[in-house]
C-alpha cells in the first residue's frame, strides 16, 4: 500500500501526530469516531477518546464525556451513537447523512432526551474504568485539572450508576452474571465469527430498503461486513424500533439474543472502578451494591470458560448453546478474573503460537481471531485484524493487575505498529497494513495513552 501519511520518525512525532488526529476530528462538542466513516460520537469510542484527550487537556476530556452523558435515556441506557448536528458537520466540511443507518432509521425521537439524536442500542460499559483513569490522572497532577475532575466525578457519578443499574436490570436480571445483547453492534465487535451462529438464524423479513454508505468510504469492500450481514443488522434495528426499544418487549421481539462474555467482563471491571469512585466521591452507600455486581459478573465470566480451550464463551440465548470460537473475546477473563490460575493460563494462551506469539505476525499482538483458525480473515474488520484499541484495553487491564512487564512489551509492539503513520482503525496481522478508516480517533487516543 502507499503511505500518504508518511511514517513516523520518533515518539515525539507520534505524540504530535496523534494529537493532530484528535484535533482534526474534534467538532467542538464531540470528537467524531473517524473523519469520514464515522462522523458522530460512539459510546465506547468516546470513553477511549476521553482518556487519550486527558493526556492533553482535562477539560476537553471531561466535555467529551458530558456530551455523551447528555444523551443518556430516562431508562439509564447510554446509546451507542450520539448523532452530530448536521449544521455542525457541514461547517466542518462533513456530511453526517453520509453515515448509514442515520437517526431516521432508528426512530428514537421519543426515547432520546429532548434535542438529542441517538441510536437505540448500547455498547460495552467501559466508561467507569476510563473515568477512573482520567480522574486519577488529573487528581495526581493536582491544581485546576484535579479540581475539575473531582467536580466532574461528584456531579456525574449518579449518571454512571444509573447506567450500570440499567445494564444489570435490562440485560442481566437473570443473575447469570452475563449481559444480553440484541445486536452484534452492541458488542462493538460487529461481525466477529462469534456471532455467525446467532446471525445465521436471523432471516430478514419485510425489510425497508437501504443503501450502504460505509463501502463508499472504505472502498475495498472486503474490509467491511458483507451485504447479507448488513441486511441482518438492519432487520434487527427494525425489530427493535417496532417495539420502540422497550426493554421489556425486546426478549419477545428480537431474533438475536446473545450473552456477551467480553461485555460482561468489561462490566465486572467497570463496577469495581465505579465502586472506587463512589467510595472516594461521596456515594459510599452505593459501594456494596457495585461490588456485588462486580463479583456477579466476574463469576459469570469465569464460569463461561471452556475447559477444552481455556477461552471464555458467549451463549446463544435462543438456542441455549455455548459459542466456543477462538476470538479475542475469549480473553474476557483478563479484564476481570480474580482467579490466579485462570489468569496465568490465559496469559500463556494469548502470548502463545495461536495468538500474539505466532512467528508469522508483523508485530507480536493479539489479532481479533486466532491466526491458526480457519475462521481467520486477516483483512476483514472484526474477523482477524489487530485492533490497537483492544491491544491497549487488554494491556491496561494487565497493568492494573500488577503486570507492568507485559504492559511494557505490548506497548513497544503496539507503538511499532502505529509508526507507519495512518492511525488505522485496524491492521492486517501479518503485513501490518493499516485497514478500515484512517485517522481513527480511538487509535490516536491509545497512542497518547501509550506515551503518557
Ligand atoms: C464499528 O461499528 C459501527 C456500528 O456501531 C459501524 O461499523 O458502523 C465498530 O468497530 C464499533 O466497535 C465502533 O464503536 C464503531 C465506531 O468506531 O465502529
Amino acid at each position: 500500500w502507499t503511505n500518504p501519511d508518511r511514517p513516523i520518525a520518533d515518539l515525539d512525532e507520534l505524540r504530535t501526530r496523534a494529537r493532530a488526529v484528535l484535533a482534526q476530528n474534534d467538532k467542538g462538542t464531540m470528537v467524531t469516531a473517524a473523519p469520514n466513516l464515522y462522523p458522530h460520537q460512539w459510546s465506547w469510542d468516546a470513553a477511549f477518546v476521553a482518556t487519550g484527550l486527558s493526556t492533553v487537556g482535562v477539560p476537553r476530556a471531561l466535555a467529551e464525556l458530558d456530551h455523551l452523558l447528555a444523551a443518556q435515556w430516562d431508562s439509564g441506557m447510554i446509546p451507542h451513537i450520539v448523532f452530530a448536528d448536521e449544521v455542525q458537520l457541514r461547517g466542518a466540511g462533513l456530511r453526517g447523512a453520509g453515515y448509514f443507518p442515520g437517526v431516521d432509521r432508528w426512530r428514537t425521537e421519543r426515547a432520546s432526551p429532548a434535542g438529542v439524536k441517538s441510536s437505540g442500542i448500547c455498547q460495552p460499559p467501559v466508561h467507569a474504568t476510563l473515568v477512573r483513569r482520567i480522574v486519577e490522572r488529573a487528581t495526581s497532577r493536582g491544581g485546576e485539572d484535579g479540581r475539575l475532575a473531582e467536580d466532574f466525578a461528584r456531579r456525574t457519578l449518579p449518571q454512571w450508576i444509573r447506567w450500570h443499574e440499567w445494564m444489570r436490570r435490562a440485560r442481566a436480571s437473570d443473575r447469570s452474571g452475563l449481559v444480553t445483547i440484541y445486536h452484534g453492534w452492541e458488542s462493538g465487535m460487529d461481525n466477529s465469527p462469534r456471532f455467525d451462529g446467532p446471525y445465521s438464524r436471523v432471516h430478514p423479513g419485510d425489510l425497508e430498503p437501504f443503501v450502504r454508505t460505509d463501502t463508499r468510504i472504505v472502498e475495498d469492500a472486503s474490509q467491511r461486513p458483507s451485504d447479507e450481514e448488513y441486511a441482518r443488522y438492519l432487520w434487527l434495528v427494525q425489530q427493535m424500533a417496532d417495539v420502540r426499544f422497550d426493554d421489556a418487549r425486546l426478549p419477545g421481539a428480537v431474533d438475536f439474543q446473545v450473552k456477551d462474555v467480553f461485555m460482561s467482563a468489561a462490566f465486572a471491571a467497570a463496577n469495581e472502578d465505579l465502586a472506587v469512585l463512589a467510595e472516594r466521591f461521596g456515594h459510599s452507600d452505593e459501594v456494596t451494591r457495585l461490588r456485588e455486581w462486580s463479583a456477579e459478573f466476574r463469576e459469570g465470566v469465569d464460569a463461561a470458560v471452556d475447559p477444552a480451550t481455556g477461552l471464555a464463551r458467549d451463549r446463544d440465548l435462543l438456542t441455549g448453546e455455548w459459542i466456543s470460537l477462538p476470538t479475542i473475546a475469549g480473553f474476557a477473563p483478563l479484564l476481570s478474573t480474580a482467579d490466579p490460575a485462570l489468569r496465568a493460563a490465559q496469559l500463556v494462551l494469548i502470548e502463545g503460537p495461536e495468538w500474539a506469539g505466532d512467528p508469522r505476525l508483523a508485530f507480536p499482538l493479539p489479532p481479533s481471531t486466532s491466526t491458526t483458525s480457519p475462521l481467520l480473515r486477516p483483512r476483514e474488520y472484526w474477523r482477524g485484524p489487530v485492533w490497537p484499541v483492544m491491544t491497549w484495553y487488554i494491556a491496561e487491564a494487565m497493568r492494573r493487575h500488577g503486570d507492568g512487564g507485559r504492559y511494557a512489551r505490548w506497548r513497544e509492539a503496539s507503538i511499532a505498529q502505529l509508526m507507519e503513520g495512518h492511525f488505522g482503525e485496524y491492521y492486517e496481522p501479518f503485513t501490518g497494513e493499516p485497514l478500515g478508516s484512517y485517522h481513527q480517533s480511538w487509535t490516536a487516543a491509545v497512542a497518547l495513552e501509550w506515551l503518557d
Side-chain angles (χ1 to χ4, degrees):
W1 73 97
T2 54
N3 188 352
D5 288 323
R6 62 191 155 68
I8 295 170
D10 56 28
L11 297 187
D12 281 342
E13 190 186 339
L14 179 61
R15 182 179 291 108
T16 313
R17 299 253 303 261
R19 287 181 177 188
V21 166
L22 292 181
Q24 275 159 13
N25 293 347
D26 189 347
K27 303 304 159 221
T29 54
M30 68 164 71
V31 176
T32 58
N36 298 309
L37 186 59
Y38 307 122
H40 304 287
Q41 185 182 44
W42 262 257
S43 168
W44 75 328
D45 298 55
F48 289 108
V49 164
T51 191
L53 284 172
S54 73
T55 68
V56 185
V58 169
R60 184 65 192 83
L62 301 178
E64 194 63 22
L65 293 168
D66 268 327
H67 187 271
L68 181 67
L69 281 175
Q72 184 171 31
W73 286 19
D74 280 348
S75 64
M77 187 189 75
I78 295 178
H80 103 296
I81 301 176
V82 185
F83 290 97
D85 179 76
E86 275 308 312
V87 177
Q88 182 188 27
L89 285 178
R90 272 201 300 277
L94 289 170
R95 282 186 315 116
Y99 180 78
F100 178 83
V103 67
D104 301 347
R105 193 83 184 196
W106 287 95
R107 293 184 267 142
T108 46
E109 52 290 329
R110 297 237 210 118
S112 297
V116 168
K117 293 183 171 157
S118 79
S119 72
I121 59 172
C122 68
Q123 268 190 331
V126 297
H127 311 79
T129 296
L130 300 171
V131 169
R132 178 180 171 190
R133 179 151 180 84
I134 294 167
V135 168
E136 288 179 352
R137 170 176 283 134
T139 53
S140 72
R141 282 190 202 149
E144 180 67 1
D145 278 357
R147 202 185 52 70
L148 283 174
E150 284 182 15
D151 288 351
F152 175 86
R154 272 196 200 93
R155 176 169 56 78
T156 61
L157 260 164
Q159 279 184 278
W160 300 120
I161 293 170
R162 285 210 299 120
W163 161 230
H164 282 212
E165 269 168 0
W166 173 81
M167 184 67 71
R168 169 71 169 52
R169 180 181 71 246
R171 301 304 183 88
S173 59
D174 60 1
R175 296 177 182 269
S176 62
L178 293 171
V179 172
T180 302
I181 57 170
Y182 292 99
H183 200 299
W185 282 341
E186 296 201 305
S187 77
M189 302 187 192
D190 311 2
N191 72 338
S192 168
R194 45 200 285 238
F195 305 127
D196 286 355
Y199 272 127
S200 72
R201 291 178 277 281
V202 174
H203 303 292
D206 193 5
L207 181 63
E208 280 174 65
F210 68 93
V211 180
R212 290 175 68 173
T213 55
D214 58 316
T215 41
R216 287 186 200 156
I217 293 158
V218 180
E219 286 173 357
D220 174 4
S222 72
Q223 295 174 29
R224 293 285 305 173
S226 67
D227 287 347
E228 292 70 33
E229 286 171 318
Y230 254 79
R232 291 177 180 136
Y233 299 166
L234 270 300
W235 179 241
L236 296 179
V237 170
Q238 200 167 309
Q239 288 190 313
M240 289 190 267
D242 285 347
V243 296
R244 297 177 194 277
F245 301 93
D246 177 346
D247 291 324
R249 293 170 72 194
L250 293 178
V254 186
D255 289 340
F256 178 104
Q257 301 183 28
V258 173
K259 287 290 184 189
D260 180 332
V261 77
F262 194 83
M263 186 136 151
S264 304
F267 192 48
N271 275 307
E272 171 58 27
D273 293 317
L274 200 49
V276 168
L277 290 170
E279 216 156 33
R280 183 168 166 191
F281 295 106
H283 289 268
S284 49
D285 50 326
E286 296 285 0
V287 172
T288 308
R289 186 164 67 133
L290 292 167
R291 290 232 157 88
E292 278 167 10
W293 291 346
S294 184
E296 181 175 309
F297 288 85
R298 187 168 66 229
E299 285 159 21
V301 171
D302 283 6
V305 172
D306 185 342
T309 64
L311 293 173
R313 294 167 293 183
D314 302 300
R315 198 153 62 81
D316 187 338
L317 267 184
L318 297 178
T319 62
E321 285 162 2
W322 288 103
I323 303 167
S324 195
L325 291 174
T327 75
I328 189 89
F331 294 103
L334 290 178
L335 306 176
S336 58
T337 191
D339 173 351
L342 175 56
R343 177 169 295 280
Q346 285 234 316
L347 289 173
V348 169
L349 258 185
I350 203 167
E351 293 196 326
E354 298 179 355
W355 293 92
D358 185 328
R360 297 171 299 161
L361 291 176
F363 303 98
L365 297 168
S368 41
T369 299
S370 164
T371 53
T372 56
S373 166
L375 297 167
L376 173 82
R377 303 230 197 111
R379 304 175 65 80
E380 199 183 317
Y381 201 43
W382 284 98
R383 291 186 181 275
V386 175
W387 286 71
V389 71
M390 274 296 114
T391 305
W392 180 79
Y393 182 50
I394 296 173
E396 169 63 9
M398 292 170 174
R399 191 182 65 81
R400 285 153 49 111
H401 283 91
D403 196 347
R406 209 169 254 106
Y407 179 88
R409 286 208 299 281
W410 285 38
R411 170 184 186 274
E412 193 184 317
S414 181
I415 287 177
Q417 179 182 54
L418 297 175
M419 295 305 263
E420 60 74 38
H422 283 85
F423 297 93
E425 186 182 7
Y426 41 95
Y427 286 82
E428 213 277 358
F430 305 111
T431 64
E433 179 183 353
L435 301 171
S437 166
Y438 296 157
H439 297 187
Q440 179 86 8
S441 291
W442 65 11
T443 306
V446 303
L448 293 175
E449 273 289 345
W450 290 129
L451 293 172
D452 192 57

